[in-house]
Amino acid sequence: VTSAATVSKRPPPIPAKQPTAEPQPIRIITSPNGAIATLDGRADTACSTPCALLAAPGRHTIGLNKPGYQLEHREVEMGDGAQEIPAVILRAFAGTLFLSSTPPGATILINGKAVPEITPAQLSLAPGAYSITIEKNGLKAIQSVDVHNGEIRRLQVTLGQQ
């Protein structure tokens, strides 16, 4: 017969924590807000930032799309808890226009609106067609230019010549 005094009172073993297979939220923030976020390219997961997507443990790709901005992707490794990816700064579609004039120091109007820069200038412009006006000392020149995303254009204008 075993007496109660001789039985050791060990606490029961603590079971090892099993990783959950349940989807967990990935919090997504963009600047500017309003990008469409998708998980692994699946349209049925779409949400508008700031938002959260549910993802099972494992490696996933977050896609971020907003009209006028470049498509962004982020990789995330999900464990058994919620995650927040660092804020994603969306990059606007743009091209670069290097604008110079003879003589230099001319004022610049883009589609009739003055800009603070004077020639020579480096301008970042959204893709599209523009009317560029250069003015100095009563002389004026107008040029048309098409800007494409990622493109670098150079425009040299000589005032007084049309």
Side-chain angles (χ1 to χ4, degrees), residues 2-79:
T2 306
S3 86
T6 60
V7 175
S8 70
K9 292 283 188 183
R10 283 190 264 173
I14 299 172
K17 184 176 179 187
Q18 297 295 320
T20 178
E22 292 191 23
Q24 298 294 317
I26 304 170
R27 288 183 287 283
I28 304 159
I29 300 168
T30 60
S31 177
N33 287 335
I36 301 301
T38 57
L39 181 69
D40 299 326
R42 294 183 12 235
D44 64 326
T45 64
C47 66
S48 179
T49 62
C51 64
L53 295 172
L54 291 177
R59 181 172 283 297
H60 298 279
T61 300
I62 306 294
L64 298 158
N65 191 14
K66 183 174 177 81
Y69 294 86
Q70 298 178 39
L71 180 63
E72 297 283 342
H73 289 96
R74 295 295 185 271
E75 297 289 322
V76 63
E77 183 73 34
M78 288 300 291

Side-chain angles (χ1 to χ4, degrees), residues 67-114:
Y69 294 86
Q70 298 178 39
L71 180 63
E72 297 283 342
H73 289 96
R74 295 295 185 271
E75 297 289 322
V76 63
E77 183 73 34
M78 288 300 291
D80 59 356
Q83 288 201 29
E84 182 171 331
I85 63 172
V88 178
I89 308 302
L90 300 176
R91 295 173 291 160
F93 285 127
T96 302
L97 177 63
F98 287 103
L99 184 59
S100 58
S101 67
T102 304
T107 59
I108 304 167
L109 289 89
I110 299 177
N111 293 340
K113 184 178 177 189

